Amino acid sequence: MRHPTRLTAPLSLALAFVLVAAVALGGRARAAAPEDALGYLPPDHDLLVEQALLARIDYVAAQVGVSGQLKAKVQQGGVYTASGSLGWSYAPEQLLSRKQALENAERAVRRSLRRGVFDALAAYAELYKSYARLQLSQRLRDRARAAGEADPKAEIDHEEALVQFELAQQEAAAYGLQGPPAAAPVLFQLPEVPLEDVPDYRRDLYALQRARFKLRRLWTGFAPDLSVWAGVGNDGGRFQVSASSRGPSTQLVVKTPGSGNGSWEYGFELALTVPLDATAYTAVRRAQLELQQRSERFAQARSRVETKRERYRQSAAFAERRVRLALEELRSVEEKLAAARSGSGEASADELDLQLYELQIRLADLWTGYLRKVYNYLDYVDAAWELQSPAR
């Protein structure tokens, strides 16, 4: 009896080619493995690395505290002026800001890698699942055909499995995973990360430090400012050094033509500013309240972060146990299947094949959920993907 089908001839040939190509790839090219996903680099990786490098340069510049400029100009009539300045200052608030910017930039690099590897692993999970579905649907369809029974559902399921496997191959290829899946899912470590290195904790710490610096800066506006300077100059130029109580600085100034008289000049200035605007005083009070709020929040940061970290860890750990159980079942079925094919087993090889494919589909679903939970933990503690030893 002729078996009914809804496929047109060109589509039938195209879908059949997908299965033939998948089988052929297993012999001609290295098949895909989940370990391959760990080497994936996102397309914006180099840009993020460069941004982190620029942030490090800014941070080092703030640490050194040296600044200056060279300036030259020519005026009408051929009169020219050249000047230069070199200064040093220590700005702890700016240093803190640039340190946090550096950490954020470096964390962005790690997070992009972490997310890219997760997407590649998820693509492999879909490839593993769709390949098992393809094999299962083909066995069920062939069984119906061999029995001479019309089973439109088996035909449709097989056609869909072919299409889904082709799409899974295309997605996996975007992450450098070529060929059919050759290995079962793998397991990953859940590294212990010190609480002080967890991004949530560090954000609260930086917020507290910024609030302290802000209050200190506002109070500085009410303090007297003492400035001193000394210099010497003549018709050729001038050299001057100055310092201020609001921040140590050193400045070298050279000008042409000079305005000095060839003798030393020195002096000092003591200034006291009393703001008459009420907002200057309310700003201080707001800063005090902000500091109190940040202090209270930071006092709870340790327990809050530890609880959240443990929640992510436990979620991933239980998901791992389910995957381990499924892997053990998979190995048991594979051993029974090998015995059946060698003639020493009691179970039917065909039934074990179907059981194996169904188990691989269930394992792929469990592994996908497990990957998401491991990613959530790694992303929270800012850690990288690392395989367990052994990985299966």
Side-chain angles (χ1 to χ4, degrees):
M1 182 177 72
R2 184 176 178 182
H3 201 83
T5 179
R6 299 186 182 185
L7 289 178
T8 62
L11 182 57
S12 299
L13 291 174
L15 293 176
F17 176 76
V18 173
L19 181 59
V20 173
V23 175
L25 278 171
R28 293 201 308 267
R30 184 175 69 87
E35 291 86 345
D36 299 336
L38 299 179
Y40 175 72
L41 290 179
D44 61 346
H45 176 71
D46 291 341
L47 296 177
L48 292 174
V49 170
E50 185 175 357
Q51 289 175 1
L53 177 60
L54 295 176
R56 178 165 292 279
I57 293 174
D58 290 343
Y59 175 60
V60 172
Q63 284 182 308
V64 175
V66 175
S67 62
Q69 66 176 2
L70 295 175
K71 182 178 180 181
K73 63 180 180 179
V74 178
Q75 299 176 338
Q76 186 177 4
V79 179
Y80 67 93
T81 303
S83 64
S85 64
L86 180 64
W88 176 83
S89 63
Y90 176 68
E93 191 172 2
Q94 182 188 55
L95 187 62
L96 177 68
S97 177
R98 292 191 179 181
K99 182 180 180 181
Q100 187 176 16
L102 171 60
E103 289 187 7
N104 289 340
E106 291 179 340
R107 190 177 298 123
V109 175
R110 294 191 295 270
R111 188 169 194 177
S112 176
L113 285 172
R114 191 164 49 240
R115 180 68 198 196
V117 170
F118 168 75
D119 290 340
L121 289 168
Y124 181 85
E126 184 59 32
L127 183 66
Y128 184 84
K129 178 181 178 179
S130 64
Y131 191 55
R133 283 186 60 193
L134 176 62
Q135 293 176 305
L136 176 62
S137 66
Q138 184 180 9
R139 288 298 182 90
L140 293 176
R141 184 203 62 178
D142 292 346
R143 174 185 288 184
R145 287 183 176 182
E149 299 176 356
D151 191 348
K153 181 180 180 301
E155 293 290 336
I156 294 174
D157 289 346
H158 182 59
E159 293 167 15
E160 181 184 11
L162 281 169
V163 172
Q164 293 300 325
F165 178 64
E166 181 181 16
L167 294 174
Q169 280 190 307
Q170 294 175 4
E171 182 181 8
Y175 297 99
L177 305 175
Q178 302 291 340
V186 291
L187 300 173
F188 296 91
Q189 297 183 29
L190 300 175
E192 290 284 352
V193 176
L195 182 70
E196 293 74 14
D197 293 335
V198 176
D200 261 7
Y201 183 87
R202 296 195 66 77
R203 274 191 289 268
D204 285 346
L205 175 61
Y206 281 129
L208 176 61
Q209 292 176 336
R210 284 198 305 272
R212 287 173 178 167
F213 284 131
K214 180 180 179 180
L215 180 59
R216 188 180 305 170
R217 172 167 44 82
L218 290 174
W219 274 124
T220 303
F222 294 88
D225 180 25
L226 175 63
S227 299
V228 296
W229 69 89
V232 64
N234 54 34
D235 292 339
R238 181 173 180 78
F239 172 82
Q240 178 176 308
V241 176
S242 62
S244 170
S245 61
R246 292 188 178 179
S249 64
T250 303
Q251 189 175 50
L252 171 66
V253 181
V254 179
K255 293 183 178 180
T256 302
S259 57
N261 55 16
S263 61
W264 280 99
E265 295 179 354
Y266 58 89
F268 72 92
E269 178 181 278
L270 180 63
L272 178 62
T273 303
V274 179
L276 299 179
D277 188 352
T279 57
Y281 301 92
T282 58
V284 171
R285 182 54 183 162
R286 278 196 297 269
Q288 290 174 332
L289 294 175
E290 181 183 357
L291 177 58
Q292 183 179 354
Q293 179 187 19
R294 295 297 184 185
S295 298
E296 292 175 356
R297 178 175 175 81
F298 185 71
Q300 301 173 354
R302 180 172 293 274
S303 60
R304 185 181 66 253
V305 173
E306 284 180 343
T307 300
K308 196 169 184 179
R309 179 180 61 177
E310 187 62 18
R311 183 183 298 117
Y312 282 128
R313 170 182 281 279
Q314 290 298 331
S315 179
F318 280 108
E320 178 184 323
R321 290 172 61 181
R322 294 186 180 92
V323 173
R324 283 188 179 279
L325 183 60
L327 285 170
E328 291 175 3
E329 294 177 14
L330 182 67
R331 283 191 287 268
S332 176
V333 172
E334 288 174 340
E335 291 173 359
K336 293 178 181 178
L337 181 59
R341 287 174 176 171
S342 65
S344 60
E346 298 179 358
S348 166
D350 289 340
E351 293 301 326
L352 288 172
D353 266 336
L354 296 179
Q355 186 179 349
L356 179 66
Y357 300 144
E358 291 172 350
L359 184 56
Q360 287 175 338
I361 294 172
R362 184 165 66 88
L363 175 59
D365 288 334
L366 289 173
W367 193 54
T368 300
Y370 162 75
L371 290 174
R372 166 59 67 180
K373 292 177 180 180
V374 172
Y375 171 78
N376 289 340
Y377 174 78
L378 296 178
D379 195 54
Y380 187 71
V381 301
D382 192 28
W385 295 90
E386 294 183 33
L387 288 171
Q388 292 189 20
S389 182
R392 295 179 178 84

